[in-house]
Amino acid sequence: MAKPAKAATGSSLVNIQAELKKESDDIKNRIQAPTGNFIRCTQDKKFKLPTGELSAGPLSVVILDFVSVNQFFDRPYKEGENVPPACFAMGLSPLTLKPDTSSPDVQSTECGVCPNNEFGSKGDGKACSNMRVLAVAEPGGDKILLLKVSATGIKPFDAYVGQIKSQFDSLPVSVVTEIYFDPNSKYGSLRFGNPIPNPDLAKHFALRGEARKLLLTAPDVSKYTAPAKKGKK
């Protein structure tokens, strides 16, 4: 039988806070498909938990870690259809993302110069979907869940991460965060706020390695098939 984890001492918490401060000094380089249990956002502004339960929120969670993800789909979305991305990229910094070599149809050498990643490549937006993917846990809990932040929530999320850096000189794992839907948005655009110190920091700090691994796990593209070409046979 495994021995219970020892409670963090005052000195170990000091070391954790020092490590968080050190890493947060480089946060400006990060704030601008993974596997696991996803919390999904419905069109009517509800959180759908992995259990199937619906919640209007807000959700109180600890953000263990996050990554930037770009995904390009080479066909229109159809309700109920689960199609792998033709090209995708994931990493810690949105400024240095490059298509993953396992992408079925790599679109460019770098995301920063890809035509699909330019505004106007799909209507007024981008043909490539930009997002942040968060690894979160309940306060006091140790189960890691994943949550996608769509393009309309990226700036608010990055601003919130900057707020944590300014207010606490640390990273989001050091606080409990409320995640809710923007009441002024027609769609389910996520917002973040009301941070309070995380009383279970030692427990959640220990989960960050597993969270990072989940966040950087590539999506399954084994079932990708090239779209049928238009025109006469």
Side-chain angles (χ1 to χ4, degrees):
M1 183 175 180
K3 295 181 179 180
K6 294 182 179 179
T9 63
S11 59
S12 64
L13 283 174
V14 170
N15 292 335
I16 289 174
Q17 293 287 8
E19 179 65 25
L20 289 174
K21 181 182 184 303
K22 178 181 178 182
E23 190 175 336
S24 72
D25 288 340
D26 192 45
I27 199 64
K28 63 179 182 296
N29 293 324
R30 292 180 57 189
I31 55 175
Q32 222 191 27
T35 61
N37 291 323
F38 272 95
I39 301 173
R40 305 191 183 276
C41 300
T42 65
Q43 292 183 344
D44 57 348
K45 295 187 179 181
K46 286 186 174 63
F47 295 101
K48 187 175 183 179
L49 305 179
T51 60
E53 177 186 355
L54 293 175
S55 171
L59 297 181
S60 290
V61 300
V62 174
I63 301 173
L64 304 171
D65 201 4
F66 66 92
V67 295
S68 295
V69 175
N70 293 343
Q71 291 185 336
F72 170 72
F73 294 89
D74 53 11
R75 66 204 74 195
Y77 172 75
K78 292 182 180 179
E79 186 71 29
E81 188 178 50
N82 187 17
V83 178
C87 184
F88 69 92
M90 54 180 60
L92 301 184
S93 172
L95 302 178
T96 58
L97 288 183
K98 297 180 179 180
D100 193 278
T101 54
S102 66
S103 297
D105 187 8
V106 173
Q107 298 291 300
S108 178
T109 56
E110 298 180 9
C111 295
V113 297
C114 181
N116 293 318
N117 200 33
E118 295 181 359
F119 284 104
S121 55
K122 183 179 181 181
D124 293 331
K126 297 181 178 182
C128 185
S129 300
N130 302 159
M131 68 186 80
R132 302 284 185 268
V133 181
L134 318 183
V136 304
E138 292 182 351
D142 57 7
K143 182 177 181 181
I144 301 174
L145 302 177
L146 302 180
L147 174 66
K148 292 180 180 179
V149 180
S150 64
T152 59
I154 287 180
K155 285 186 178 180
F157 174 73
D158 287 355
Y160 177 72
V161 174
Q163 175 190 339
I164 301 305
K165 164 63 180 170
S166 176
Q167 185 175 344
F168 297 91
D169 202 12
S170 190
L171 299 177
V173 68
S174 66
V175 300
V176 176
T177 297
E178 281 192 356
I179 304 180
Y180 55 95
F181 293 103
D182 181 0
N184 298 316
S185 174
K186 181 180 178 181
Y187 304 100
S189 186
L190 296 179
R191 299 294 182 266
F192 311 83
N194 302 321
I196 59 173
N198 180 8
D200 300 292
L201 177 58
K203 173 189 288 188
H204 291 133
F205 184 84
L207 294 175
R208 297 180 77 239
E210 183 182 353
R212 177 72 62 83
K213 184 178 180 180
L214 281 174
L215 289 168
L216 293 177
T217 299
D220 181 8
V221 295
S222 60
K223 295 182 180 180
Y224 172 85
T225 57
K229 294 183 178 180
K230 296 180 178 180
K232 298 182 179 179
K233 293 183 181 181

